[in-house]
Amino acid sequence: MAAHLRRHPGAGVSYVARVTAADSPVPADAAPTGRIVLLTTTHRVAPGLLSWPAWQALHGADRVLSGDPDHPQLPYLREAGVEVEPGSPAARELVDYCVAGGGRTAVVLTSAEGESELTDGLARLAGSGREAMPDLELLPGSYDLPGARLLDLVQVMDRIRAECPWSGTRTNEELVKYGIEEAYELVEAIEEGDREALLEELGDVLLQVVFHARIAQDDPEDPFSIDDVAGGIVDKLIHRHPHVFGDEAAETAEDVRRHWLRTKAAEKQRDSVTEGVPLGQPALALTAKLAFRARMAALDVALPDGAGVGYELLALAVRAEADGVDPEAALRAAARAYRDAIRAAEGSAGR
């Protein structure tokens, strides 16, 4: 008799049983063989917040079991009137219970590590083709939403801050150089089109944000947390995108940019378009940013008089920005070509 493995509709199934079905069809007049439900949950969702199908399965089950005596869902299930048996049953016992009982339903509340011994046993029984098998179902009682792994990152950073002798004593000032390095490594990954490196470097930059916020949380006078950081940027994004979250319209990317700058200027109440431009950034990027601010403000600014390479580079950077070229990226591309030429010359000289 075939074993039917059903995966309940829904995303984020965190646990997959290795169950194979026999090829023989199920006779139309076969007696009910019952149902085994492997109920999965995620620690990233508050315990007790289960899907309606999960609550239906739990309340309708003839037997609910959990091999984890400390499973976070247990207090909430008991409060809801669901009796949970301790212990992990063997596959043979569970199959016999469902089949011999004329179609009983058993729900197994899986642990964080899963129930590999049980599912391996069920796979062997189902794969033999000689067993009357209950329906086997993977049912997500709760599953991760997009961004759920960020909660793991926050928890890991909390522990590292508390237990690591190096990380536990760092200051925001001491991490500045690492943030700059990671930002440049991210730029390099993007410019080289390396997707694997991009994934890694985005994580490294994200770590810097979470690390800085965790340090700030320990400040005795003016603490803030990663939630404050996230909340602030969410409010800013909503406020600066009224064409998405409000009633205003933006037909082109340029419309969006103009509105962004207008809203930003009103928020900051700056006396000059140059305010907020960090002078510590690379010189070409700094020049391009200043030129962009002046162009957006429709200012007719004459380049300062001066002789030397610096003023020549200034004129080139302003011209590049006006032409829609990022001078910093353009020079990096040229520098990489120069690097390759140097390597080629080294190879020729070594022959």
Side-chain angles (χ1 to χ4, degrees), residues 82-131:
V82 177
E83 182 179 347
V84 182
E85 300 178 28
S88 298
R92 173 83 273 169
E93 175 195 347
L94 206 55
V95 168
D96 289 345
Y97 172 80
C98 294
V99 173
R104 291 171 177 155
T105 296
V107 175
V108 178
L109 188 62
T110 64
S111 65
E113 292 76 26
E115 306 296 333
S116 58
E117 184 175 349
L118 172 61
T119 54
D120 287 347
L122 291 172
R124 285 191 295 270
L125 292 174
S128 70
R130 300 187 299 271
E131 297 288 340

Side-chain angles (χ1 to χ4, degrees), residues 284 303 306-318:
L284 283 177
L303 294 179
V309 174
Y311 288 91
E312 294 174 11
L313 291 173
L314 172 66
L316 284 173
V318 171

Side-chain angles (χ1 to χ4, degrees), residues 12-55:
V13 177
S14 57
Y15 183 86
V16 178
R18 297 189 300 277
V19 179
T20 58
D23 294 331
S24 57
V26 180
D29 58 349
T33 55
R35 175 182 174 217
I36 296 176
V37 179
L38 303 179
L39 181 61
T40 66
T41 58
T42 172
H43 67 280
R44 301 180 190 95
V45 173
L49 297 180
L50 300 176
S51 64
W52 176 238
W55 282 117

